[in-house]
Amino acid sequence: MKRVLVVDDDPTVSEVVAGYLDRAGFAVDVAADGPTAVAQAARRTPDLVVLDLMLPGMDGLEVCRRIRATGPLPVIMLTARGDEEDRILGLEVGADDYVTKPFSPRELVLRVESVLRRSGASTAARAGTARTWLRSGPLALDPTARRATRSGVELALTIREFDLLEFFIRHPGRATSREQLMQQVWGWEFGDLSTVTVHVRRLREKVENDPARPRLISTVWGVGYRFDPPGDQEAEAGDDR
């Protein structure tokens, strides 16, 4: 049974969310403030955290930073704010998903299940012996163990960043819209497209030599993004000569 830690200072929200998660087959812990959430996560590590952005004692951004400092842990953020800057802040500290209040508890359960399915892939596959690495220039991905390296150095990727990089490496040279990425990587038919934008920006910061001038993950204006394998870039440079 997967364990979910629900962190919200509104007892009604916590009760409703916990009830829906319980009926969906999850074990649920509840915390009403930031320090309690950090302590509970340290005492009994959850499989996922549903985390409100506005909390007494310590805001959700700081809670997210602290609980993820000890290792990868899926986080879905909740907030009553609709401002795009707040959504981006949540994603930039490592949240894997973002739901704005008021929200449908059923939708939240689906988001929890989606994130856990992806994060659980590594655990389920570690027992296998056969490993197939995906490689593109200095980048290497092990989809089985969900490990990624750049020039042999381990990359600290969130669940969605890993999924996004895997998609790009599997589809080199293909221009893909943000809507298509949301469907293919997130598994959503609709959602806030700024989520895709922020994750692409964060991924560039980890895989590009110069994130301000990306060469691996290019923006295709009016379309979306394209992954250009390093070998292709060298060939193009050669053609120019």
Side-chain angles (χ1 to χ4, degrees):
M1 181 181 290
K2 296 290 187 180
R3 181 169 297 278
V4 178
L5 173 61
V6 177
V7 187
D8 198 302
D9 62 332
D10 186 331
T12 301
V13 172
S14 293
E15 182 179 350
V16 170
V17 171
Y20 270 81
L21 289 169
D22 178 70
R23 287 191 289 276
F26 295 100
V28 184
D29 295 322
V30 175
D33 59 71
T36 301
V38 172
Q40 283 191 219
R43 185 168 57 251
R44 182 162 59 179
T45 304
D47 295 289
L48 181 143
V49 180
V50 176
L51 177 63
D52 189 24
L53 184 61
M54 300 297 292
L55 292 169
M58 182 189 303
D59 67 26
L61 297 176
E62 182 61 25
V63 173
C64 187
R65 291 189 188 97
R66 294 197 183 191
I67 63 177
R68 296 206 55 162
T70 58
L73 178 61
V75 174
I76 296 178
M77 280 202 163
L78 303 176
T79 182
R81 298 181 181 181
D83 188 77
E84 183 177 357
E85 181 179 346
D86 296 313
R87 294 197 299 271
I88 290 173
L89 278 174
L91 295 170
E92 287 185 338
V93 297
D96 298 283
D97 200 352
Y98 197 100
V99 179
T100 303
K101 297 177 183 177
F103 57 88
S104 162
R106 286 176 134 187
E107 180 189 350
L108 178 60
V109 171
L110 291 175
R111 297 283 183 94
V112 168
E113 291 172 341
S114 173
V115 172
L116 284 174
R117 270 197 306 273
R118 294 177 182 274
S119 66
S122 60
T123 303
R126 280 191 188 113
T129 55
R131 296 283 179 86
T132 301
W133 284 77
L134 301 176
R135 301 184 185 276
S136 184
L139 299 173
L141 268 75
D142 180 352
T144 300
R146 293 183 70 83
R147 293 180 56 217
T149 62
R150 180 176 184 268
S151 301
V153 178
E154 192 94 12
L155 292 172
L157 301 179
T158 66
I159 294 167
R160 298 299 190 191
E161 288 167 0
F162 185 96
D163 293 340
L164 193 57
L165 183 57
E166 181 179 353
F167 179 88
F168 281 138
I169 290 180
R170 288 186 185 275
H171 302 87
R174 168 176 156 183
T176 309
S177 69
R178 292 190 299 168
E179 291 87 353
Q180 289 172 320
L181 287 171
M182 180 157 282
Q183 292 170 1
Q184 296 294 320
V185 177
W186 275 258
W188 305 344
E189 290 301 319
F190 59 88
D192 184 353
L193 294 178
S194 67
T195 299
V196 177
T197 305
V198 171
H199 278 82
V200 169
R201 184 170 72 238
R202 285 179 54 83
L203 182 58
R204 281 171 168 166
E205 291 171 356
K206 298 177 181 182
V207 303
E208 298 278 3
N209 289 327
D210 182 359
R213 293 178 153 186
R215 299 197 63 190
L216 295 175
I217 305 172
S218 304
T219 298
V220 182
W221 298 109
V223 180
Y225 303 100
R226 184 186 66 243
F227 180 76
D228 297 312
D232 293 350
Q233 296 169 13
E234 292 169 4
E236 289 172 5
D239 292 341
D240 289 341
R241 290 194 297 270

